[in-house]
Amino acid sequence: MKVASGLAVCAAAFASEVASEEQTAMGRALYLTHCAACHGNNGEGGTQPVGEQQTRPPDLTKIAQRRSGVWPILEVMSIIDGYTKATRPREGMPVIAALNEGPQVTFDSGNGRSRNVARRLLAVTTYLETIQSPKPDRSVP
């Protein structure tokens, strides 16, 4: 019985890891489609303002570093698409409505509340977390 339950835990962990890898790959593809033109293919920021934008797009690999090692997942979602409607739009940063399209997934931001979010939005946010340099020490909702 213990072996069977141990195998179930390992299988669940493997399935979660595979799902995470798929989500990260999807997030990278979406990033390249919707974000790379301004922030660069590697997320380190554009070399000059794009279009009518007056400021250089920021380095997305340093989001956590700019927040003392904290990965602010809801803030990032909000900047991308107005998810929480609590973050003011950034100059020159468009709301990427296409990331709210498609299937929804249940998401626990770490504050004990589960909610449905667009799978595409979560994928891009997950991808952005993977390119943080240095890696975040912790996450906050």
Side-chain angles (χ1 to χ4, degrees):
M1 185 75 155
K2 288 182 182 180
V3 171
S5 64
L7 290 175
V9 169
C10 288
F14 177 75
S16 175
E17 184 175 314
V18 168
S20 179
E21 288 176 14
E22 288 174 5
Q23 183 169 312
T24 301
M26 172 196 268
R28 176 170 168 65
L30 290 165
Y31 171 85
L32 291 171
T33 298
H34 298 285
C35 312
C38 294
H39 294 282
N41 287 343
N42 59 8
E44 293 179 353
T47 57
Q48 59 188 2
V50 177
E52 296 181 19
Q53 182 174 332
Q54 300 299 310
T55 58
R56 178 180 183 262
D59 181 343
L60 299 180
T61 68
K62 303 293 184 192
I63 296 170
Q65 182 182 49
R66 290 189 296 266
R67 288 158 181 80
S68 302
V70 175
W71 177 247
I73 191 164
L74 293 181
E75 178 185 353
V76 172
M77 286 182 178
S78 181
I79 291 168
I80 294 170
D81 83 328
Y83 173 69
T84 65
K85 311 292 188 247
T87 304
R88 291 183 359 183
R90 302 295 208 269
E91 178 187 340
M93 175 64 189
V95 169
I96 305 170
L99 296 178
N100 274 329
E101 297 171 357
Q104 302 274 309
V105 294
T106 301
F107 165 70
D108 179 358
S109 61
N111 60 2
R113 292 188 200 165
S114 292
R115 60 190 89 198
N116 289 332
V117 299
R119 181 176 179 216
R120 298 174 92 193
L121 174 62
L122 186 58
V124 168
T125 307
T126 299
Y127 170 69
L128 289 174
E129 183 177 8
T130 69
I131 65 170
Q132 295 306 292
S133 178
K135 297 295 180 199
D137 298 325
R138 61 189 177 96
S139 296
V140 296

